[in-house]
Amino acid sequence: MSLVLQNEVSLKPFNTFGVEVRARLFAEARNDDEVRQGIALSAERGLPLLVIGGGSNLLLTGDIEALVLRMASRGIRVLADDGERVRIEAEAGEVWDELVRWSLAQGLGGLENLSLIPGTVGAAPMQNIGAYGVELKDVFDSLVALDRQNGEVREFGLADCAFAYRDSLFKREPGRWVILRVRFNLSHNAALHLDYGPVRQRLAEEGVAEPTPADVARVICAIRREKLPDPAVLGNAGSFFKNPLVPAALAERLRSEHSDLVAYPQADGQVKLAAGWLIDKAGWKGFRLGAAGVHAQQALVLVNYGGATGSEIHALAERIRADIRQRFGVELEMEPNLY
Ligand code: EPU
């Protein structure tokens, strides 16, 4: 098989913000060999290479003078099953939520709290995706990645990945690693994580006394559908900002001024603040700047009402950041990658 190259391709279908920009060259890599072909071609043509997954964590601010390589490898397999613990492997191009649903259909627990997160398997470790009290690192076994600096394939265990809140080695070395496949530790009898937000309460309301992973997934899907706009209807990239980590003294000062501050103390003494609360408190919820806006139901999500450019969305984000810095002395960091 060889890579099919296309010229001047619209990336609108390939980014969940639905921003209209074009890629100078575009191709889909269905296997490791096609990834290598993409790397070689970008060097031959003197164009940078931009590897993308589901485009759900991307803000594209202009035409991309690069070869955009979309990971399209498929395949999910069981590597080991001792009747209790199950190690599985999925190719980078698999859709994340399809992997979650596959695991639930096998009766396996571990991924249920990460239901309905947009994006691909290969992109998931990049920012250590997380939701409802579970992060990818909690179910991670290992991954295989290609080093673009020397073409070598390397295996990474948990400790090698430097996972942190929405962060990893791969995110800190942008453009170096192409994640090819990821392995997870799942279980036939996984311990459930029900203590985040309204999960336990919603199960009780449904009358579920002994929840299964599939029950947890169902409830989390329902909560997410209520809180987060569907990118197929309203362009967005989920949370636009990370929840900021601040020194305890700053959190205390803010708490003295705002008794309803949403703050989560961390093991290292820092305090994580809810960026959505800060932005909401500052009055941005429902604000519109042209076709870009702050979601009316969730201040942490920026949306494209249709036809917004990436630069407009970025300009809105910068105005919000400046305002939050000035009002609260808190620096917000963008979650999506900007190109
Ligand atoms: N809040 C407001 N106003 C808002 C939004 C939030 O006051 O407009 C308050 C809420 O009332 C709540 C707190 O802020 O007390 C936190 O809000 P929420 O529970 O909705 O969670 P979040 O901090 O906004 C994080 C993740 C989500 C993840 C959920 C559930 C980040 C940046 N975001 O959101 O991840 O799904 O928790 O675990 O960590 C994503 O990364 O794209 C994402 C959606």
Side-chain angles (χ1 to χ4, degrees):
M1 277 194 286
S2 80
L3 202 63
V4 181
L5 267 187
Q6 292 172 268
N7 284 293
E8 305 296 338
V9 171
S10 166
L11 294 179
K12 193 172 178 182
F14 303 116
N15 74 99
T16 60
F17 260 123
V19 163
E20 178 66 274
V21 297
R22 57 158 189 79
R24 174 77 187 76
L25 283 177
F26 178 85
E28 296 192 321
R30 293 160 294 180
N31 52 49
D32 297 4
D33 188 45
E34 291 189 347
V35 173
R36 288 182 185 283
Q37 289 176 39
I39 293 169
L41 270 163
S42 79
E44 254 169 52
R45 306 276 179 115
L47 281 173
L49 181 73
L50 173 59
V51 178
I52 65 170
S56 56
N57 205 39
L58 273 187
L59 183 57
L60 303 171
T61 55
D63 290 339
I64 306 292
E65 285 301 316
L67 164 56
V68 174
L69 190 68
R70 179 172 175 268
M71 295 300 286
S73 50
R74 304 306 293 255
I76 303 174
R77 54 197 77 88
V78 173
L79 299 178
D81 182 346
D82 67 5
E84 170 76 37
R85 285 161 48 91
V86 182
R87 198 150 58 92
I88 64 158
E89 180 178 78
E91 296 296 317
E94 283 288 339
V95 173
W96 175 262
D97 193 52
E98 288 178 14
L99 173 68
V100 175
R101 283 187 280 127
W102 175 89
S103 68
L104 294 169
Q106 315 298 307
L108 299 174
L111 301 182
E112 57 278 359
N113 291 45
L114 304 175
S115 291
L116 220 57
I117 296 180
T120 56
V121 166
M126 287 280 174
Q127 61 154 349
N128 180 30
I129 58 169
Y132 299 97
V134 174
E135 289 184 342
L136 173 124
K137 69 172 174 51
D138 302 324
V139 284
F140 179 85
D141 175 75
S142 56
L143 64 75
V144 177
L146 181 69
D147 187 348
R148 281 173 54 188
Q149 286 179 357
N150 56 20
E152 280 171 20
V153 167
R154 213 181 112 182
E155 197 165 317
F156 290 80
L158 181 61
D160 306 321
C161 298
F163 287 127
Y165 168 61
R166 297 293 190 276
D167 199 20
S168 73
L169 168 84
F170 313 104
K171 189 166 177 173
R172 278 177 239 157
E173 297 186 348
R176 177 163 179 192
W177 302 100
V178 182
I179 295 175
L180 299 172
R181 55 193 61 83
V182 188
R183 300 170 187 142
F184 301 91
N185 289 315
L186 306 183
S187 168
H188 288 288
N189 299 297
L192 300 177
H193 300 272
L194 309 177
D195 291 326
Y196 189 100
V199 176
R200 192 183 291 279
Q201 184 198 329
R202 292 286 279 265
L203 286 163
E205 281 164 13
E206 279 192 16
V208 180
E210 285 180 34
T212 62
D215 292 324
V216 176
R218 189 182 64 252
V219 161
I220 284 173
C221 288
I223 298 169
R224 287 187 68 101
R225 286 201 174 95
E226 286 162 21
K227 282 183 161 257
L228 296 167
D230 178 355
V233 179
L234 191 60
N236 74 89
S239 299
F240 194 88
F241 299 103
K242 294 187 195 181
N243 286 329
L245 288 164
V246 302
L250 175 55
E252 268 165 45
R253 182 166 66 72
L254 291 172
R255 164 90 68 210
S256 70
E257 293 160 14
H258 309 277
S259 59
D260 56 339
L261 180 79
V262 181
Y264 315 94
Q266 304 294 295
D268 64 3
Q270 295 191 93
V271 177
K272 193 190 270 184
L273 301 179
W277 182 91
L278 295 167
I279 300 166
D280 189 356
K281 194 77 180 174
W284 288 97
K285 206 184 225 175
F287 181 84
R288 266 182 91 145
L289 185 68
V294 180
H295 189 47
Q297 277 84 48
Q298 163 60 286
L300 196 48
V301 178
L302 299 192
V303 295
N304 176 5
Y305 286 104
T309 65
S311 301
E312 281 171 327
I313 297 168
H314 190 220
L316 172 59
E318 287 301 336
R319 279 181 63 175
I320 295 170
R321 287 184 67 209
D323 186 45
I324 299 304
R325 187 184 302 127
Q326 202 228 325
R327 274 176 203 264
F328 302 109
V330 175
E331 200 60 44
L332 290 183
E333 199 184 321
M334 271 176 61
E335 204 182 283
N337 299 313
L338 188 72
Y339 293 100

